Amino acid sequence: MVEADPGHGSAPDPTVEEIFDAVAATAPRIRDALPGRRVESGTENPSGETVMAGDVYADELLAEALGDVDGVGSFVSEERAEALDVGGTVGDDAYAVAIDPLDGSSNLRSNNAMGTVVGVYDAPLPAPGRDLVAAGYVLYGPITTMVVADESGVREEVVERDDDAANGVSRSVVIDDLALPDEPTVYGFGGRVPDWPDAFREYAREIEGELKLRYGGAMVGDVNQVVTYGGVFAYPALVDAPDGKLRLQFEANPIAYVIERTGGSSSDGSDSILDVDPEGLHDRVPLYVGNDGPIERLEAALD
Ligand code: AHG
Ligand code: MN
Ligand code: MN
């Protein structure tokens, strides 16, 4: 677990604030672009997955917005094979930003929640999650919210258009010390039951008898259920895909960082996600996050 600040420790890093200002400023534009971009782009991403027109639009908008932030040296995206060098020296005078531009884009057709995931690393990528200095996500739900976690703590913000603001949006902190509820109440497990290894299936059966199912097909929406109500989210190792589905650099690490900073735990099945040493930008990893109890039971079940 990343030691949560006893209170409101160091002030937010100005570059981190600029990064999340840039991400917030793209949110209304991404939302507005979605109605016309619910179709496949005809291309595949480096993970071999179908890219939607919405993925392409969000990726290009975020690359431009984040490339313009002085303290960002490198932009890495789910939709790009290689890192985009945007100036500066990562780890010295610049951060590397890893982005899942549109998480859950299969929800475009079904008009369900989607998100944008952000990881801010103080090291060239690929890097372990311990090199994160901040992480967060935008949730395109009935309301556009943004969760931001950094050394100073975790907060939930509402992002709205604001024509009087320099970058066209306002960020209003609605929860300034976001913490996982003590008692777990919801769960969401990805993949198909026949594809789960026996040990996970038995664990899932126990959890299903205790908690309420909340699975919407977009990691950001499902994780936000856990952050709000307490519980556990997993996209587990599968029999034919032992590394699961989610990508370490721009999905698992940022989410693990956020959950650990809200007082919960993350795991790849045996240890914190943040300790996983990556080989490539698009490495996949099994992801289990939530309250300490369910995660400890998960690790015991898979041991
Ligand atoms: P992305 O749209 O960025 O590729 O992410 C989709 C991921 C994640 O959001 C979600 O948890 C998972 O895929 C859902 O997978 P299934 O469709 O197999 O449930
Ligand atoms: Mn995703
Ligand atoms: Mn995506």
Side-chain angles (χ1 to χ4, degrees), residues 128-192:
R130 294 292 174 205
D131 287 332
L132 282 165
V133 297
Y137 55 83
V138 175
L139 175 54
Y140 307 105
I143 299 162
T144 303
T145 53
M146 182 164 74
V147 167
V148 181
D150 59 17
E151 267 88 12
S152 69
V154 196
R155 49 207 169 278
E156 181 184 63
E157 305 173 6
V158 170
V159 176
E160 295 174 286
R161 279 192 188 292
D162 179 351
D163 296 338
D164 297 332
N167 65 355
V169 295
S170 64
R171 292 171 56 184
S172 318
V173 176
V174 290
I175 301 175
D176 68 357
D177 194 4
L178 191 57
L180 211 53
D182 291 338
E183 282 310 308
T185 58
V186 300
Y187 77 96
F189 297 151
R192 295 175 341 107

Side-chain angles (χ1 to χ4, degrees), residues 49 55 78-79 100-105 115 117 217-220 245-247 250-251:
E49 291 163 346
D55 290 316
E78 169 183 297
E79 311 308 343
D100 178 356
L102 195 60
D103 173 65
S105 55
V117 189
M219 172 188 67
V220 170
K245 174 178 185 183
L246 301 177
R247 281 57 51 111
F250 36 75
E251 288 172 312

Side-chain angles (χ1 to χ4, degrees), residues 87-100:
T89 308
V90 174
D92 177 28
D93 61 359
Y95 291 130
V97 180
I99 295 281
D100 178 356

Side-chain angles (χ1 to χ4, degrees), residues 15-45:
T15 300
V16 167
E17 280 308 290
E18 272 188 64
I19 288 168
F20 282 96
D21 274 339
V23 171
T26 65
R29 297 167 65 192
I30 289 173
R31 275 199 97 109
D32 289 349
L34 294 180
R37 290 176 175 80
R38 304 172 69 183
V39 293
E40 295 184 7
S41 68
T43 60
E44 273 193 357
N45 68 12

Side-chain angles (χ1 to χ4, degrees), residues 219-234:
M219 172 188 67
V220 170
D222 296 333
V223 165
N224 208 56
Q225 291 264 17
V226 169
V227 168
T228 307
Y229 296 114
V232 53
F233 169 81

